[in-house]
């Protein structure tokens, strides 16, 4: 009953979208297919948009820790998640309003409201621990869907994001703006980090390749976990391979150190001498969507801590 009520509410809020076959059937053109190593490849800026150098990450963490010290949050909110399970048990659920912006070129990329709802459902399952791993106590609720029929924005969102984001952005620092478009260069998406919000709030948000949504046409990357991964960055998580095998790593104590990003879904991958195999099933690695299943409790605790510092 609740699902039917939500659907009725959304039907009133959202402009009509085309019905018909699934994303894959409707949009399965050759140029919508990403390379099998899609998450290992770079965008127009020379590296994956959310890769940080060790020096950049160290600077971010120093600033974050200064903010946290000023908030006097206590040991349960340490950013490395070392008190992760206790911290998560005490954490208040974070409910995030989402404005979904469909950027399309006529019929191409004009995903239906049902497909948008399935992507939101995938986010809730991922962050709720329903595919495995920890329940991060983060949930998402769709507020509205906008549609922009613009061939230039659709085909080159990296070039035009400075144009469309200020026009489309809704809400404040705790509101997720999620944009779908066609992303070339075998890149599946990118995100802004929460510590960037204050300097440029209208650019805040997550952009994904529309064909990576659940049922999309990109082989190995069509379960909607590209959005899960990018929203992880929006919430303050690094890649699991951040800083490689160094002691700092991704600043989460219960994700084993990892030198190299994962391609596909290998078993027994172990690129660092420290304990534990590489976290190939973690949403913040680069594995296939079929390989991704989980966040850790430490990642959930870090999300809540970073949220208090930058998005609460």
């Amino acid at each position: 009953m609740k699902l039917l009520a939500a659907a009725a509410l959304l039907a009133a809020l959202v402009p009509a979208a085309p019905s018909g076959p699934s994303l894959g059937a409707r949009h399965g053109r050759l140029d919508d297919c990403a390379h099998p190593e899609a998450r290992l490849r770079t965008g127009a800026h020379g590296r994956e948009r959310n890769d940080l150098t060790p020096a950049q990450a160290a600077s971010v963490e120093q600033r974050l820790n200064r903010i946290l010290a000023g908030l006097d949050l206590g040991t349960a909110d340490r950013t490395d998640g070392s008190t992760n399970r206790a911290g998560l048990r005490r954490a208040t659920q974070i409910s995030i309003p989402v404005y979904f912006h469909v950027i399309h070129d006529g019929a191409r990329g004009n995903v239906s409201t049902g497909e948008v709802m399935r992507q939101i459902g995938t986010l809730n399952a991922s962050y709720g621990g329903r595919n495995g791993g920890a329940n991060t106590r983060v949930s998402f609720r769709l507020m509205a869907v906008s549609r922009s029929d613009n061939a230039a924005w659709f085909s080159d969102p990296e070039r035009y994001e400075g144009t469309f984001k200020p026009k489309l952005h809704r809400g404040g620092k705790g509101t997720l703006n999620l944009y779908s478009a066609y992303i070339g260069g075998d890149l599946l998406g990118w995100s802004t980090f929460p510590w960037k919000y204050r300097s440029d709030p209208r650019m805040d948000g997550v952009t994904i390749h529309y064909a990576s949504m659940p049922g999309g046409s990109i082989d190995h990357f069509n379960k909607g976990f590209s959005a899960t991964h990018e929203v992880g960055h929006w919430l303050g998580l690094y890649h699991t391979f951040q800083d490689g095998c160094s002691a700092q790593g991704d600043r989460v104590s219960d994700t084993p150190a990892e030198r190299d990003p994962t391609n596909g879904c290998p078993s027994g991958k172990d690129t660092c001498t420290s304990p534990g195999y590489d976290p190939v099933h973690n949403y913040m690695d680069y594995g296939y969507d079929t390989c991704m299943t989980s966040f850790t409790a430490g990642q959930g605790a870090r999300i809540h801590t970073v949220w208090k510092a930058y998005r609460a």
Side-chain angles (χ1 to χ4, degrees):
M1 294 297 292
K2 290 181 180 178
L3 181 60
L4 291 174
L9 175 62
L10 284 167
L13 289 173
V14 181
S19 58
S22 68
L23 260 174
R26 190 165 68 245
H27 304 298
R29 295 169 47 145
L30 179 63
D31 57 355
D32 291 338
C33 297
H35 188 279
E37 297 180 358
R39 287 197 178 97
L40 297 178
R41 300 171 69 84
T42 60
H45 294 266
R47 63 156 79 90
E48 204 274 339
R49 290 282 297 269
N50 296 110
D51 281 342
L52 274 68
T53 66
Q56 288 171 331
S59 177
V60 166
E61 294 304 301
Q62 289 172 2
R63 187 164 64 251
L64 173 59
N65 286 325
R66 286 197 299 269
I67 293 172
L68 295 175
L71 294 175
D72 192 24
L73 297 175
T75 58
D77 291 294
R78 287 174 56 175
T79 59
D80 66 356
S82 58
T83 53
N84 43 54
R85 297 189 185 280
L88 265 184
R89 281 196 298 269
R90 290 193 294 269
T92 302
Q93 182 82 18
I94 297 172
S95 179
I96 300 174
V98 181
Y99 288 92
F100 199 105
H101 307 287
V102 177
I103 299 173
H104 60 101
D105 179 8
R108 189 168 179 231
N110 194 13
V111 297
S112 71
T113 300
E115 289 161 343
V116 172
M117 292 177 68
R118 284 194 286 277
Q119 180 63 80
I120 301 300
T122 295
L123 289 175
N124 281 317
S126 303
Y127 284 85
R130 296 199 291 275
N131 300 321
N135 177 357
T136 66
R137 300 185 62 78
V138 175
S139 60
F140 304 85
R141 63 186 192 278
L142 183 63
M143 304 301 291
V145 177
S146 74
R147 298 184 182 278
S148 301
D149 189 352
N150 188 303
W153 295 0
F154 173 75
S155 62
D156 198 350
E158 281 195 283
R159 179 180 178 183
Y160 289 102
E161 67 174 332
T163 302
F164 67 73
K165 279 187 172 182
K167 292 178 182 293
L168 300 177
H169 189 275
R170 300 279 301 276
K173 59 186 177 181
T175 300
L176 173 61
N177 282 262
L178 187 53
Y179 304 84
S180 66
Y182 172 76
I183 304 175
D186 297 326
L187 189 65
L188 294 173
W190 67 84
S191 172
T192 56
F193 283 111
W195 41 87
K196 295 289 189 179
Y197 179 85
R198 184 175 180 180
S199 63
D200 204 350
R202 294 185 302 172
M203 294 298 289
D204 187 63
V206 168
T207 306
I208 58 169
H209 195 309
Y210 77 94
S212 73
M213 292 168 63
S217 59
I218 302 178
D219 290 342
H220 306 300
F221 302 103
N222 57 1
K223 293 173 67 66
F225 295 149
S226 291
T228 297
H229 176 102
E230 299 304 338
V231 171
H233 291 312
W234 185 82
L235 291 167
L237 297 181
Y238 296 124
H239 291 130
T240 50
F241 47 87
Q242 175 69 43
D243 289 7
C245 298
S246 81
Q248 295 297 308
D250 65 350
R251 275 67 175 184
V252 176
S253 61
D254 60 358
T255 57
E258 182 179 30
R259 185 190 64 205
D260 303 322
T262 295
N263 176 31
C265 194
S267 60
K269 179 171 175 272
D270 191 10
T271 55
C272 294
T273 58
S274 54
Y277 290 110
D278 289 4
V280 300
H281 300 295
N282 196 283
Y283 292 119
M284 300 313 294
D285 201 349
Y286 272 5
Y288 288 168
D289 276 14
T290 50
C291 193
M292 290 182 162
T293 61
S294 57
F295 290 110
T296 67
Q299 287 173 313
R302 177 178 169 88
I303 286 170
H304 282 263
T305 302
V306 174
W307 184 270
K308 290 171 184 175
Y310 291 109
R311 295 205 182 273

